[in-house]
């Protein structure tokens, strides 16, 4: 069974930085796209950034120039470096990954449990 475990959330002042990590564990043959989503109170979950296994990244306009997504394929881990944080970045951040458990398995989209990020003075 595959699990995604996030860490690194917390409370930070506006203008501050946080680094989120998400490690996949269990039976893993390959991981394709990994990404970060967020959900603020009363809003729908939205994509923040994603990265392919070859390192091609995509991010949304609201975080361009502030957030950087990266991954370590050897560790099955994806990171989100968040700089110049704003109060509107406050949300629960979820890790997401398209994982193939064995060579015979289909690709399944997995989600982490979420980690709270609060930007406030």
């Amino acid at each position: 069974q595959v699990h995604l475990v996030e860490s690194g959330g917390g409370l930070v002042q506006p203008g501050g930085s946080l680094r989120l990590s998400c490690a996949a564990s269990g039976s893993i043959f390959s991981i394709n796209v990994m990404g970060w989503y967020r959900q603020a109170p009363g809003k729908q979950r939205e994509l923040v950034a994603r990265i392919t296994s070859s390192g091609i990244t995509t991010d949304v306009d609201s975080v361009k120039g502030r957030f950087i997504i990266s991954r370590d394929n050897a560790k099955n881990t994806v990171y989100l470096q968040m700089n110049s944080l704003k109060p509107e970045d406050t949300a629960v951040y979820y890790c997401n990954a398209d994982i193939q458990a064995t060579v015979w398995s289909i690709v399944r989209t997995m989600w982490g449990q979420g980690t709270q990020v609060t930007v406030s003075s």
Side-chain angles (χ1 to χ4, degrees), residues 22-23 26 42 51-52 69 77 88 96 104 111:
C22 173
I51 183 169
T52 68
I69 188 170
T77 299
E88 51 264 43
N96 161 283
W104 302 279
W111 291 89

Side-chain angles (χ1 to χ4, degrees), residues 32-49:
N32 300 325
V33 178
M34 302 185 82
W36 290 95
Y37 288 70
R38 65 185 180 187
Q39 187 167 17
K43 295 187 177 181
Q44 289 188 331
R45 191 174 298 187
E46 64 173 0
L47 172 69
V48 176

Side-chain angles (χ1 to χ4, degrees), residues 54-95:
S54 59
I56 297 172
T57 62
T58 304
D59 52 30
V60 298
D61 288 344
S62 58
V63 306
K64 282 187 186 298
R66 300 189 299 123
F67 292 9
I68 301 171
I69 188 170
S70 61
R71 66 190 280 176
D72 185 332
N73 291 331
K75 295 181 179 180
N76 292 328
T77 299
V78 63
Y79 305 96
L80 186 67
Q81 177 66 44
M82 304 186 294
N83 302 317
S84 301
L85 282 160
K86 304 175 181 180
E88 51 264 43
D89 295 317
T90 296
V92 178
Y93 283 71
Y94 296 91
C95 173

